[in-house]
Amino acid sequence: MATDNKPAVSIKDMIKKDRILNSGHRMCAGCAAPVVIKLMGMALRGPTIVCNNTGCLEVATTIYPYTAWNLPWIHVAFENAAAVASGIIEATKVMHAKGHFEHEHVDVIALGGDGASFDIGFGAISGAMERGHDMVYMCYDNGAYQNTGIQRSGATFMGQETTTSWAGSVIPGKLERKKPIAEIIAAHKIPYVATVEPSNYRDFITKFRKALEVEGPAFIHAFSPCPRGWRSATGESISLSKLAVETGLHPLYEVINGEEWIMSSASKNLKELKPVDEYFKTQGQFKHLFKPEWADFRKRIQEQVDHDWELLKKRCGVE
Amino acid sequence: MSEKYNEIPMAGNIIEPGNSLKYKTGGWRAERPIHTDETCLWVKNGTCGRCWIFCPDNAVVLTEKDGKHAYAYNLEYCKGCGICANECPTQSIHMESESK
Amino acid sequence: MTVSKDRITVEGLTGDAAIAHALRQADLDVLSAYPITPQTIIVEDYQKFAADGQVKAKVIPVESEHSAMSACVGASAVGARVATASASAGLALMWEILYCAASMRMPIVFTVANRALSAPINIHNDHSDGMGMRDSGFIQLYCQSSQEAYDTTLMAFKLAEHHDVLLPVMVGIDGFIVSHNVERVEMLPDDEVSKFVGVREPVQPLDPDNPITMGPLALTDYYFEFKEQQDKAIQNVPRVYKEVEDEFEKLTGRKYGMFETYKTEDADIIIIAMSSMGGTAKVVADALRERGDKVGVIRLKMFRPFPTKDIAKAVGKAKAVAVFEKAMSFGAATHPLALEVRTALYEAEQRPMIADFVVGLGGRDVPPITFVEGVDKTKEYLKKGEAPLYETLGVRK
């Protein structure tokens, strides 16, 4: 791995940084997850081990006999990367003390999609955060169980159509709001929680590096567009990610020790939010919302987003 | 794929890191990116690089030699998603159908 | 040379406490566990050793058994020596990761105080939990006493970590009957245990200097080959187990074998049972022999891999085998132990009659009289020339 310890945020440094995920992986064309991983790689600082929950990223990067990973990498199951990481962290420390493991410190990163993180593996994350293992857990959130064929998860937006939250004649897609995962993890009072997305890449890399540097657990919530599931143009994944910030659907912020809320400049500098309609109209999964019968429902979604945005601004001390 | 059970590492361990390079994904492409040097900021002055940063398949190849900046695609892996074209701030990239 | 008596510590210990001592001496790197009756004493005692600085391991007090086994897999993947403990519902919650641990070839030692599965919820002993995981790829060793639990736990590390094996091992004791019963236990001095268990030498660990990918997606073209590897590995267990036991015997003078035989040579009826039932069965055999019935006992210790050929040999020319087992495989032809025994004896020259008695579910006492009842029934069946596939004993019906 890279011996260069600095995070790479300029293009000239980035192209020199060791690549952690090679080409030849089988993520769909236009999937943002490999970009999320690339940006994570730009933040690395030394020996690193990656634990990956089951999901698109896990499956499509390690189809035997090929692996796209240049880092030591382990997948065990869908819901347990945080627990696997707990074991790795504590084992390497003990083994190093006994002279059985060379490195005094290894950065251990656990990765999971939104299904693994918001839903099935939530308990394992909560436990790992509470126990204080020095890991970074990153959820790449593409808004549904895309790997199994676009089923709703706790991360699915209100109004989003999935194969288990169909938009029908009486139901306009998912009726429930998205679980505020970063807030919930921040409530564990861990040293560092941040939301990121790939278009604001410098912000992403800087935050990921902070997450590595704090002592104790850190949680990164990365937004990650999925053209296949969202029925969006493959070329638009990064711009959609930006639009999610601009509409307040994925605001960027940090929470230090569960108490100090800091709004990141990409969100803070917004004079006002763009209407969620602008985001919705880019994707097939929201197109039903523009039927006249769902106008009120769409309005309710906007009100919810506005409400959450005001609350976040207040928390972050932003006027 | 003809290896016997005792001719492969145990438990599915893949001991050669990053060997997915052997698996070419270029065949997935319906459209290919076409790049013009003239307006490209990387070629001009070694800045920008948004296409490189946001390419999910590491198919944009940016090189620098003796102060000169070169631009290329690795079409063995490019899946033709068009993120590079979409993210280019100077419209130096456009997509063309592979069947053209 | 066995270790001299003055270096042996003798204590009255419960099965759980004996296991905790074995884990203390085995120089673990990580113990990751979640509390569940009747296993909890193992973890409590070990935590106390940790609190007093008697072990150099890190204890991870996880939020669930699923995470307990997951953390064990992670720790084992980097080359650590790891153990966990559970029972019943906790073991059931681990189920998914039991398969992962075995398939990923993680030599984890898993001590279990065998307990009934819900519902109704019940904290007492039977073998439903262990039998439920019998196809997970774990080696399974069921112990009869606190001493055996201590000894087997120590041997389990050497067996699991042997490069011809690299599989996790379940060490089972009967919940409450052994886990909470105080017995005399002889413990080796720490230095002798250190020498015996040695330091784990991992094969293909997760290592930043040699980045491998562990646990990939393997589909129709490769998955089967990894199962073939796993099957070959578990078939190596009897040979390696014997080597480990021989070495252990040199230190302690004690050995158990894959199963223990008692007065089987001339027996007409052989009782096959596991764990604490073995002791009762032997007493019953003695009593019945006084009555004139030639009864012997096979007390099975190693359920996985099942010592098929050795069992057939040990049964020899007996006329009948009476299986007593504490688990049900609902809807199966017979219950787990009898299924194995029947298969083992199918090729026998003189195939004995097999009677299968399900006993003791949910901790229902299995007194000597239950064995007598089973043996008497077996005698009747011999006279009749046929036996039912299975029946329950000790239940009100």
Side-chain angles (χ1 to χ4, degrees):
Chain A
M1 254 320 290
T3 43
D4 178 10
N5 260 337
K6 281 187 295 232
V9 287
S10 75
I11 185 64
K12 290 203 174 178
D13 289 337
M14 287 168 108
I15 61 172
K16 284 183 214 141
K17 189 98 175 166
D18 284 346
R19 184 174 283 179
I20 64 168
L21 190 75
N22 270 3
S23 309
H25 64 73
R26 285 176 248 185
M27 303 295 276
C28 301
C31 171
V35 182
V36 165
I37 299 306
K38 184 193 284 188
L39 298 177
M40 166 184 128
M42 295 301 153
L44 299 190
R45 56 177 186 166
T48 305
I49 294 176
V50 175
C51 311
N52 211 153
N53 279 315
T54 310
C56 294
L57 178 67
E58 170 268 325
V59 164
T61 58
T62 63
I63 301 180
Y64 197 87
Y66 302 115
T67 179
W69 291 89
N70 290 315
L71 293 173
W73 181 98
I74 183 170
H75 157 256
V76 183
F78 197 177
E79 66 286 59
N80 67 351
V84 174
S86 307
I88 290 174
I89 291 162
E90 302 311 327
T92 54
K93 278 198 262 182
V94 171
M95 288 167 70
H96 177 78
K98 291 180 183 172
H100 300 156
F101 187 81
E102 192 192 325
H103 302 279
E104 191 183 350
H105 177 85
V106 179
D107 284 326
V108 179
I109 299 168
L111 299 172
D114 49 285
S117 310
F118 284 61
D119 297 349
I120 194 168
F122 180 73
I125 299 172
S126 179
M129 300 290 117
E130 182 270 327
R131 292 189 301 273
H133 305 287
D134 190 7
M135 74 173 72
V136 179
Y137 187 98
M138 177 162 73
C139 165
Y140 73 101
D141 168 12
N142 52 27
Y145 291 87
Q146 308 296 357
N147 188 44
T148 45
I150 324 166
Q151 291 83 27
R152 95 189 265 295
S153 76
T156 302
F157 287 124
M158 201 189 277
Q160 190 175 329
E161 184 182 42
T162 70
T163 59
T164 52
S165 61
W166 293 105
S169 56
V170 295
I171 296 176
K174 190 185 168 193
L175 296 174
E176 304 78 20
R177 56 163 300 157
K178 176 169 182 153
K179 189 191 272 191
I181 191 78
E183 294 175 32
I184 296 166
I185 303 297
H188 289 66
K189 309 275 181 187
I190 59 169
Y192 190 70
V193 171
T195 63
V196 300
E197 55 78 39
S199 87
N200 284 284
Y201 64 88
R202 285 195 184 91
D203 175 79
F204 185 125
I205 298 163
T206 310
K207 284 172 176 170
F208 203 98
R209 182 56 171 250
K210 276 193 205 170
L212 289 169
E213 283 171 354
V214 294
E215 277 183 34
F219 183 87
I220 300 279
H221 177 199
F223 197 67
S224 182
C226 166
R228 175 66 191 85
W230 296 8
R231 287 170 273 152
S232 57
T234 56
E236 287 178 9
S237 291
I238 305 302
S239 52
L240 284 187
S241 190
K242 185 162 176 256
L243 193 54
V245 176
E246 291 166 345
T247 51
L249 286 164
H250 186 75
L252 299 182
Y253 58 92
E254 299 165 283
V255 190
I256 317 293
N257 297 322
E259 286 169 7
E260 189 187 342
W261 292 64
I262 305 161
M263 192 175 269
S264 312
S265 51
S267 282
K268 200 172 159 184
N269 295 343
L270 296 171
K271 292 216 167 60
E272 55 183 21
L273 294 181
K274 288 184 177 172
V276 287
D277 285 0
E278 280 195 37
Y279 182 78
F280 290 162
K281 70 189 178 197
T282 58
Q283 300 158 52
Q285 62 180 351
F286 294 113
K287 86 171 176 244
H288 59 281
L289 293 178
F290 293 95
K291 288 181 182 168
E293 60 265 41
W294 304 129
D296 280 352
F297 182 59
R298 223 167 74 239
K299 203 173 135 221
R300 262 176 50 211
I301 300 172
Q302 182 67 65
E303 283 165 3
Q304 181 74 63
V305 171
D306 291 342
H307 174 81
D308 289 352
W309 173 248
E310 290 308 318
L311 199 65
L312 180 66
K313 283 207 295 189
K314 210 166 137 191
R315 274 182 169 149
C316 297
V318 173
E319 286 307 308
Chain B
M1 207 201 91
S2 57
E3 308 100 306
K4 292 178 182 162
Y5 77 91
N6 55 359
E7 294 169 346
I8 46 178
M10 70 170 181
N13 294 346
I14 303 172
I15 56 176
E16 185 188 355
N19 68 350
S20 63
L21 288 175
K22 293 176 194 162
Y23 190 88
K24 306 290 159 66
T25 53
W28 298 17
R29 204 169 50 244
E31 290 184 322
R32 71 167 58 201
I34 308 292
H35 172 266
T36 9
D37 277 0
E38 280 103 80
T39 47
C40 171
L41 294 172
W42 171 258
V43 174
K44 198 181 266 179
N45 56 19
T47 59
C48 185
R50 289 177 66 82
C51 51
W52 186 96
I53 293 165
F54 297 126
C55 175
D57 294 290
N58 304 320
V60 174
V61 185
L62 302 184
T63 46
E64 181 182 4
K65 206 183 168 192
D66 307 326
K68 285 203 160 183
H69 300 95
Y71 191 100
Y73 282 109
N74 186 341
L75 292 175
E76 288 194 314
Y77 303 108
C78 169
K79 294 169 186 158
C81 68
I83 286 178
C84 54
N86 198 59
E87 294 304 318
C88 179
T90 60
Q91 285 80 50
S92 305
I93 305 165
H94 69 277
M95 303 301 287
E96 266 184 26
S97 169
E98 282 286 344
S99 58
K100 217 168 155 184
Chain C
M1 264 292 281
T2 54
V3 175
S4 64
K5 271 198 175 153
D6 58 330
R7 300 199 64 218
I8 300 289
T9 309
V10 179
E11 270 190 54
L13 295 175
T14 62
D16 278 355
I19 286 174
H21 275 287
L23 296 177
R24 171 181 63 77
Q25 293 182 305
D27 193 21
L28 301 180
D29 296 309
V30 168
L31 180 130
S32 163
Y34 187 86
I36 187 167
T37 304
Q39 158 279 122
T40 319
I41 305 169
I42 298 173
V43 183
E44 287 172 349
D45 282 9
Y46 193 85
Q47 284 275 32
K48 187 141 204 317
F49 297 140
D52 291 336
Q54 292 183 55
V55 292
K56 290 181 194 151
K58 170 74 183 180
V59 182
I60 308 180
V62 281
E63 80 294 338
S64 75
E65 286 89 351
H66 192 281
S67 283
M69 190 51 80
S70 299
C72 283
V73 171
S76 191
V78 290
R81 175 171 289 158
V82 295
T84 185
S86 194
S88 182
L91 187 151
L93 186 58
M94 278 181 186
W95 199 82
E96 178 195 22
I97 311 304
L98 296 175
Y99 279 70
C100 296
S103 304
M104 295 177 80
R105 311 292 298 280
M106 302 299 176
I108 296 160
V109 171
F110 178 26
T111 57
V112 176
N114 293 112
R115 167 185 150 182
L117 286 171
S118 296
I121 188 167
N122 174 298
I123 56 168
H124 291 284
N125 167 247
D126 67 31
H127 294 158
S128 309
D129 52 4
M131 289 300 124
M133 66 175 278
R134 68 191 190 274
D135 294 337
S136 63
F138 270 63
I139 297 162
Q140 290 196 316
L141 304 171
Y142 291 83
C143 306
Q144 191 189 314
S145 65
S146 297
Q147 182 70 60
E148 188 178 345
Y150 169 85
D151 294 347
T152 306
T153 303
L154 291 180
M155 287 190 278
F157 289 99
K158 267 185 103 76
L159 176 61
E161 294 169 6
H162 193 286
H163 288 191
D164 292 344
V165 175
L166 291 173
L167 289 170
V169 181
M170 184 216 84
V171 177
I173 52 173
D174 281 348
F176 289 108
I177 300 167
V178 175
S179 72
H180 284 58
N181 205 3
V182 176
E183 294 181 325
R184 179 185 184 278
V185 176
E186 292 187 7
M187 286 186 288
L188 288 165
D190 293 354
D191 61 328
E192 291 294 343
V193 173
S194 297
K195 268 190 273 172
F196 175 72
V197 296
V199 173
R200 182 183 163 198
E201 290 171 25
V203 176
Q204 287 176 1
L206 272 185
D207 173 8
D209 301 321
N210 189 13
I212 68 167
T213 285
M214 241 181 223
L217 173 76
L219 297 171
T220 49
D221 50 355
Y222 280 102
Y223 177 91
F224 206 167
E225 277 65 32
F226 299 121
K227 297 294 121 180
E228 185 76 8
Q229 291 177 344
Q230 208 181 323
D231 179 53
K232 290 286 184 287
I234 202 162
Q235 297 312 331
N236 289 336
V237 168
R239 171 177 61 79
V240 176
Y241 176 74
K242 190 174 182 310
E243 289 168 23
V244 171
E245 253 208 343
D246 286 349
E247 203 182 317
F248 190 77
E249 189 186 9
K250 278 184 200 145
L251 277 181
T252 63
R254 293 188 294 274
K255 70 179 296 185
Y256 304 93
M258 295 186 284
F259 54 84
E260 186 188 350
T261 54
Y262 185 75
K263 299 185 177 174
T264 50
E265 289 82 6
D266 64 338
D268 291 329
I269 296 176
I270 293 180
I271 294 171
I272 299 189
M274 286 160 61
S275 302
S276 63
M277 283 196 294
T280 317
K282 285 178 228 167
V283 172
V284 169
D286 285 341
L288 292 178
R289 275 178 180 266
E290 276 175 30
R291 195 176 82 173
D293 295 322
K294 283 195 220 160
V295 175
V297 177
I298 292 175
R299 196 269 298 180
L300 183 72
K301 176 185 176 86
M302 185 186 287
F303 188 81
R304 282 288 180 267
F306 194 82
T308 313
K309 286 190 173 152
D310 299 80
I311 287 281
K313 216 169 133 191
V315 168
K317 294 195 166 82
K319 292 177 188 146
V321 171
V323 176
F324 290 79
E325 58 180 318
K326 289 185 173 181
M328 272 192 153
S329 176
F330 295 100
T334 75
H335 298 287
L337 180 54
L339 281 175
E340 305 284 338
V341 170
R342 288 179 88 88
T343 303
L345 297 174
Y346 189 80
E347 303 293 342
E349 272 176 46
Q350 286 172 282
R351 206 183 289 161
M353 173 176 280
I354 295 164
D356 182 17
F357 302 106
V358 174
V359 296
L361 297 188
R364 178 66 49 88
D365 197 19
V366 187
I369 194 69
T370 305
F371 282 96
V372 174
E373 188 185 351
V375 170
D376 284 345
K377 276 173 176 276
T378 307
K379 280 167 69 182
E380 278 172 39
Y381 299 149
L382 277 172
K383 266 184 223 157
K384 256 185 4 190
E386 66 172 335
L389 279 169
Y390 71 89
E391 64 202 281
T392 51
L393 287 186
V395 65
R396 296 183 295 276
K397 49 186 176 186

